[in-house]
Amino acid sequence: MTRAYHTLGRPFGATALVLAILIGWSRPSMAGETVEIKMLNKGADRYMVFEPEVVRIKPGDTIKFVAADKGHNAVTIKELLPSGAEPFRGKINEELAITLSTPGVYGFRCDPHYTLGMVGVVIVGEPTNLEAAKQAKLPGKAGEVMTKLLGSL
């Protein structure tokens, strides 16, 4: 009668354990996705751009700012940051990976090229602060570009 609880010469519990481990290894990772944004001297339409300029992700996903060209960084624009979200600041010429979990609209800029309009937007989940973001006043070309980007949402 004890033989009924064995499978292929192993106790049933050991077979179940091996099966559970194999199923766990075959499942996709539960970690969020990573989306790359390039920091460029020249884009398709103008100079000093992030590409893409607008990205939509899920909470827990990671944005990786790639230093494709020299002289750029990625920094949050405090007026375009969801309530409770942590700001980020990358160093010039260095890549920056940041995991965003708080839903909302995140505006970001390149410090050296901010007034030239080098700005972008990440939408995490629902754009909870979109109306407040649209009211933010940014300097020079940054304001024009951001108004266009937010208007496209």
Side-chain angles (χ1 to χ4, degrees):
M1 232 181 204
T2 43
R3 197 75 171 133
Y5 293 101
H6 288 71
T7 306
L8 300 175
R10 290 190 197 134
F12 177 74
T15 302
L17 177 63
V18 169
L19 187 58
I21 290 170
L22 290 174
I23 289 171
W25 280 339
S26 66
R27 286 191 334 205
S29 171
M30 297 304 288
E33 292 189 33
T34 298
V35 177
E36 289 189 355
I37 298 176
K38 294 179 184 173
M39 299 180 277
L40 301 170
N41 291 337
K42 184 172 182 348
D45 299 330
R46 60 189 170 76
Y47 292 96
M48 305 305 166
V49 297
F50 290 98
E51 194 171 277
E53 293 179 302
V54 177
V55 173
R56 289 182 181 267
I57 63 171
K58 296 180 296 260
D61 286 351
T62 298
I63 294 294
K64 182 178 180 182
F65 292 95
V66 178
D69 292 326
K70 299 283 186 202
H72 305 292
N73 70 341
V75 179
T76 49
I77 300 171
K78 66 179 179 178
E79 298 87 358
L80 287 99
L81 188 64
S83 178
E86 290 293 318
F88 56 85
R89 173 177 291 282
K91 295 180 180 177
I92 302 285
N93 299 327
E94 291 186 15
E95 293 185 356
L96 172 68
I98 183 83
T99 300
L100 301 173
S101 298
T102 304
V105 175
Y106 292 72
F108 56 90
R109 69 179 190 255
C110 169
D111 278 341
H113 305 109
Y114 182 39
T115 57
L116 297 175
M118 192 167 178
V119 296
V121 176
V122 174
I123 300 108
V124 179
E126 292 297 316
T128 55
N129 60 326
L130 179 59
E131 290 310 312
K134 287 181 177 180
Q135 301 303 314
K137 303 292 182 210
L138 305 182
K141 181 86 171 169
E144 293 174 33
V145 173
M146 189 58 74
T147 297
K148 178 182 158 206
L149 296 178
L150 294 175
S152 70
L153 302 178

